[in-house]
Amino acid sequence: MHLKDPICAVATPPGKGAIGVVRLSGKGALEIGARVFRGKDPRGMKGGRFTLGHLVDPRTGEAIDQALLLVFRAPRSYTGEDLLEFHLHGSPAVLRRAVEALLAAGARMAGPGEFTLRAYLNGKMDLAQAEAVLALIEAEGELARRQALRGLEGALSRRIEALQGKLLDLLAHVQALLDYPEEGVEPHEAATVIREALGEVEGLLAQARASALAQRGARLALIGAPNAGKSSLLNALLGYERALVSPIPGTTRDYLEAPLELFGIPLVAVDTAGVRETEDPIERAGVERALRIAEEADLVLYLADSSAPRPTPPPLPPRTIYVATKADLPPLWEDPRYLRVSSLTGEGLLALKARIREALLGEGGEGGVFLSDRQKEALLRAKERLEEALTLPEDLMGLALEEAVQALNALLGRDVTEEVVDRVFRNFCVGK
């Protein structure tokens, strides 16, 4: 693949729409634009300007559509190259003919993520920012959008670069200790710097789970005995009636899923069958499925009716919040582990949502940045090397510090193999 030749692709989603955008970038893009555009010559336009004209087939001169042409001059463009955008009517037929016209004029089809790949190669962004671009495109919840945007704007990159600066300064002192022992650093100074760096790395890793949940969403299982108020609480969390509510125990024999968004995270809440001993084979199958759903969920709400005799909870995973339901009725029991909630009056509902947020996101999760699996792996390698450096005398910690810096370099996309870069960009859509 030649990474300087002109490339083109549709940049908007497939299907019909009011507007469709076709991108053209690379060496010779302005000349190709002049061959397919009737109106103001793009070669004479300043960057950041637009003009109205017609997109035409360069082979026949036939008009394909009216077009708004935007011109961006290198290096002040998304890719760092000369880049043109044709804003057309969003008809599949129009966009298909537009791409055909650009191909006939000398462009080639872009590969997946090739526009962003060129931005990375031309120094417009690092690899961490490029991965944030994909995360922003794929964001379904508000938290995922915010975290990805912070990553795109360089929040993670700045933290990593500051961390690298500290480690490189320490590495220089360690090297000086070997060459000029009288100019070395004191042992406690080296350990302090390494511990601070470890704290920064561990702080980022602590945000990895919140980042993953923000991107993929989370499953919230509602578990409890029959008539514990699971369906009522589900409806209260949703804000509308989704589950059938009945005073007859055992109404729910299978599970019921409902999507919702809390704190910017897309959740799937699962109302399960009441958990109790039963001889009914259908109900027993529902109980077994409920316990399996609880085991696989990201978070479990175990519900117990506080106005009825207290049940014994089944074995539950550690990620469980205990809820005493029907708080509007006189309680028969109390337990500090249980959060009192009334789905009827709303008592305790805000506190429950806050507890769910804390359990899913942890401290600082909402203010964190997007972290891909690749970035998490790089941080784990850096953590291991820093922990190793702490166990070594100063004159031997240089290699471990170098490897920690290399891991952080890989996170930003410096000194990485072509295979790593290909792995990042193969998941992008064509046109981005």
Side-chain angles (χ1 to χ4, degrees):
M1 181 185 293
H2 298 286
L3 293 174
K4 291 294 183 183
D5 52 356
I7 55 172
C8 68
V10 177
T12 42
K16 298 178 181 178
I19 301 293
V21 178
V22 177
R23 274 180 160 173
L24 172 68
S25 180
K27 186 177 180 180
L30 294 168
E31 287 73 19
I32 291 174
R35 294 184 198 123
V36 301
F37 188 74
R38 294 295 175 265
K40 195 169 184 179
D41 190 330
R43 291 172 295 185
M45 293 176 62
K46 293 182 179 180
R49 303 299 175 88
F50 60 88
T51 186
L52 182 66
H54 284 85
L55 185 72
V56 302
D57 188 322
R59 297 162 294 190
T60 64
E62 175 193 1
I64 296 172
D65 191 15
Q66 286 185 327
L68 184 67
L69 171 64
L70 279 73
V71 174
F72 301 91
R73 294 275 190 165
R76 302 180 66 182
S77 73
Y78 180 75
T79 59
E81 306 169 326
D82 289 334
L83 185 146
L84 280 64
E85 286 186 355
F86 300 91
H87 290 230
L88 307 156
H89 292 97
S91 154
V94 168
L95 298 176
R96 182 173 59 252
R97 284 293 306 277
V99 170
E100 289 173 357
L102 292 172
L103 295 176
R108 69 165 172 83
M109 281 297 297
E114 190 171 352
F115 291 93
T116 305
L117 172 60
R118 292 187 177 200
Y120 162 65
L121 294 174
N122 291 327
K124 303 296 289 186
M125 62 179 67
D126 59 38
L127 201 56
Q129 289 173 294
E131 288 173 292
V133 170
L134 179 59
L136 190 56
I137 292 171
E138 296 182 340
E140 295 185 6
E142 180 62 16
L143 180 58
R145 180 197 66 79
R146 292 198 302 265
Q147 290 185 344
L149 183 59
R150 291 188 197 108
L152 175 59
E153 292 178 342
L156 175 62
S157 303
R158 288 191 294 273
R159 291 178 68 174
I160 296 300
E161 287 172 348
L163 179 56
Q164 283 182 312
K166 294 177 183 177
L167 293 177
L168 287 171
D169 287 345
L170 176 58
L171 192 55
H173 283 294
V174 170
Q175 189 61 45
L177 178 63
L178 292 175
D179 297 336
Y180 310 100
E182 69 278 5
E183 296 183 18
V185 293
E186 295 295 327
H188 73 277
E189 292 176 348
T192 299
V193 172
I194 295 171
R195 288 193 183 96
E196 288 176 354
L198 262 175
E200 181 72 12
V201 169
E202 289 169 347
L204 286 169
L205 285 170
Q207 297 177 14
R209 182 171 184 269
S211 177
L213 289 177
Q215 291 295 314
R216 66 173 172 79
R219 287 179 68 81
L220 179 68
L222 279 66
I223 303 294
N227 213 24
K230 298 183 295 298
S231 299
S232 296
L233 182 58
L234 175 64
N235 291 340
L237 289 172
L238 294 173
Y240 63 90
E241 290 192 10
R242 173 66 177 88
L244 176 65
V245 176
S246 170
I248 302 173
T251 303
T252 304
R253 293 194 169 198
D254 203 351
Y255 68 94
L256 175 68
E257 295 185 350
L260 73 153
E261 185 171 309
L262 290 178
F263 338 110
I265 298 180
L267 299 177
V268 175
V270 188
D271 180 17
T272 62
V275 177
R276 66 175 175 180
E277 296 291 334
T278 177
E279 299 300 323
D280 185 325
I282 297 177
E283 188 177 359
R284 186 166 63 248
V287 170
E288 292 172 356
R289 178 172 290 177
L291 294 174
R292 188 164 60 249
I293 289 171
E295 185 62 35
E296 296 171 354
D298 295 291
L299 185 64
V300 175
L301 302 184
Y302 175 72
L303 279 58
D305 182 354
S306 63
S307 67
R310 179 177 176 176
T312 300
L316 293 169
R319 51 188 184 280
T320 298
I321 297 174
Y322 292 84
V323 181
T325 59
K326 306 183 184 181
D328 52 290
L329 300 176
L332 289 184
W333 55 271
E334 292 184 1
D335 188 322
R337 283 194 310 161
Y338 285 72
L339 184 64
R340 287 177 55 79
V341 173
S342 169
S343 301
L344 181 64
T345 66
E347 177 187 342
L349 202 57
L350 288 177
L352 175 59
K353 290 180 178 179
R355 190 79 63 84
I356 293 172
R357 180 182 64 237
E358 181 183 357
L360 288 177
L361 299 180
E363 185 177 351
E366 288 184 86
V369 294
F370 165 75
L371 284 170
S372 69
D373 289 341
R374 187 194 69 84
Q375 293 164 3
K376 182 180 176 182
E377 290 171 6
L379 287 170
L380 286 170
R381 290 198 302 274
K383 179 176 181 288
E384 290 171 358
R385 299 287 77 79
L386 290 172
E387 288 173 338
E388 179 185 350
L390 271 180
T391 66
L392 299 172
E394 284 185 63
D395 57 346
L396 296 179
M397 66 173 54
L399 180 58
L401 291 174
E402 283 182 10
E403 291 176 346
V405 170
Q406 289 169 3
L408 298 176
N409 268 336
L411 189 153
L412 297 177
R414 299 169 186 163
D415 303 322
V416 293
T417 64
E418 186 175 333
E419 180 183 357
V420 170
V421 176
D422 287 344
R423 190 177 71 183
V424 170
F425 287 98
R426 74 168 62 114
N427 295 318
F428 275 67
C429 57
V430 174
K432 191 62 180 177

